[in-house]
Amino acid sequence: MTTRLSRRTLIGGLSAVGAATLVGCQVDTGQGPAPEAPGGAEITIPDFDTQLPTEDVTFRWCDSGDLKSVYEKAVLAAFTKKHANIKTDYQGSGWETVNQVVPLGIRNGSAPDVFAVPNNVPAATAVNEGWVQPLEEVIPDFETWRGYFPETAFVPGVHIFNDKIYSFPLSSDRRLTFMSFYDSANLAEAGYDDPVNQLKSWDDLHASLKKVVDAGKVGMIIGSDSLSGVVEMLAQSAGWRAVAGMDMAKGTYVYDAPQVMQAFEFLQKLVTDKLVVPGFLSLKIADGRAQMPAGKAGMIFNGPWDIPSWKRSAPDWKYAMGPVPSPDGNTDWVVPFAQTGGNNPWVYAKTKHPTVAGQLLNYMGSPDGQKMLVVLSEGNLVSLEQKYNDEADQPGLLDANAKSASDLAAKIMKAAPQAAIRNPEVAKVALLRKEVQPRWQDLMAGIFTGQIKGSPEQQFAEFGEKQQESLETAIEAARKEGADVSIEDWKFPNWDPAKDYTKADYDELG
């Protein structure tokens, strides 16, 4: 789909010969006041039986902000409108703030009433150390509320600990991590008026980028932190069937699969042919995203969160968006993923206002709350439950590009099996597992710089072997601590990657 907008150039754009202007630039994080709800949509907080404070109080909410902040601020404002004595203080300033504010508040006994667990702290740690409390202790009419979600929405080790639910998926994570975004003017100049439909194969993409570079522009923007994700998506377009590197049918890591090697070799060719932004190994993809509207590059692989960012920062820039091309131009390929949900909120164990937290979270997980999540984000966030997305899909309520992105994700992303859903004891393995170093993206960067020797296939095979060893070592450690787990919990012989893996599929295995 193409946004029909006139184009402008932003100050501080991409250099056609390097990425120096990208490094250290300001990144739009999606902050700022929430816009008015489109189409006159309005949040209505229902009445609940639980007793709220009668004195003047301030309820604090802290998370990473970005897209969900628009919805959360609107819900908090509606709550204060209904209960004037309960003021709300929303802090959504990115993960660095969360990583500082929450642990400090825990130590001081003054953490926000609802918060996101820092992304450098395992959720199990927050539970085991008493940072948070079970939702059934605060959410009114909990069993009815739980029924609003799909049967597999709550995942052991993610939301469930010690048979209790501590958090929930505010939104779905059925969102493509990488799509193709093309600068319409630069591609048109290169002879591609409809790049989404003209650039379906890797050869098509290579040829188009060469023409863009020959015209004095940068070809593709990629960042050091997106290397592994881009290779993974390209490999999936080639038919790689893995989740976090694992073939879920066999319970083995397949980082050296032919499709992975094919994808990495294609990326190497783009780099060798100087069709990728120079200095990409020192570039963060968010900085590259922020500079795309400057009109100095042909395209970028990134996620749908770019859509609202560009809508705010560069409303006049015209771009086209679509799926990542595949080796042979086939558009009917699949992205298997672990459906664990996104934007999980947690209730502070020592909050002085548990009934406020409970009423807010009850609404956010309710049918109306989930529909309004989609409406207020203009379709950039979606619910796990498709019927709520369908109810929100009304004329004038959703952004056309966001809707196209979510429709594409719904088409090609398929929920894969998860060992933790099959056997909750698997959550204990995650606590004992050690991360393999270097990480996959660091391994790729090292290959590009020449610091890591040996063939990529050899390096990727060894990485997969280390991942397998890490998993099996953690399984053995968990078994010694009494966990009833085995490598068989990771094997799903009835997995069909072309379909969502459902509760019936889990039941089939027994």
Side-chain angles (χ1 to χ4, degrees), residues 144-154 168-170 361 364-366 370 384-385 388:
T144 298
W145 176 86
R146 181 175 181 172
Y148 297 145
F149 295 86
E151 290 182 283
T152 56
F154 300 97
F168 73 97
L170 181 64
L361 296 182
M364 289 180 170
S366 71
Q370 285 288 286
L384 263 73
E385 191 63 74
Y388 305 145

Side-chain angles (χ1 to χ4, degrees), residues 340-359:
T340 59
N343 302 314
N344 303 335
W346 304 77
V347 178
Y348 180 34
K350 297 181 180 179
T351 176
K352 295 179 181 178
H353 314 300
T355 55
V356 177
Q359 292 196 18

Side-chain angles (χ1 to χ4, degrees), residues 241-243 245-254 490-491 495:
R241 298 294 176 257
V243 180
M246 175 177 281
D247 179 341
M248 299 303 299
K250 300 178 180 178
T252 57
Y253 287 95
V254 285
W490 278 261
K491 297 179 181 180
W495 178 40

Side-chain angles (χ1 to χ4, degrees), residues 202 227-228 230-242 244-246 253-268 327 440 443-444 456-457 459-461 463:
W202 291 358
L227 280 177
S228 60
V230 168
V231 170
E232 183 171 341
M233 186 66 77
L234 289 170
Q236 287 170 335
S237 80
W240 190 44
R241 298 294 176 257
M246 175 177 281
Y253 287 95
V254 285
Y255 283 101
D256 60 336
Q259 300 92 341
V260 176
M261 301 317 305
Q262 186 181 8
F264 187 71
E265 288 166 6
F266 176 62
L267 181 58
Q268 284 182 306
W440 200 24
L443 187 63
M444 292 182 191
E457 184 172 11
Q459 294 296 331
F460 290 178
F463 181 76

Side-chain angles (χ1 to χ4, degrees), residues 178 222-234 263-264 267 271 276 280-281 283 285 440-448:
F178 291 96
I222 189 172
S224 60
D225 52 345
S226 66
L227 280 177
S228 60
V230 168
V231 170
E232 183 171 341
M233 186 66 77
L234 289 170
F264 187 71
L267 181 58
V271 173
V276 172
F280 69 94
L281 292 176
L283 174 66
I285 195 61
W440 200 24
Q441 67 182 36
D442 299 329
L443 187 63
M444 292 182 191
I447 292 172
F448 277 115

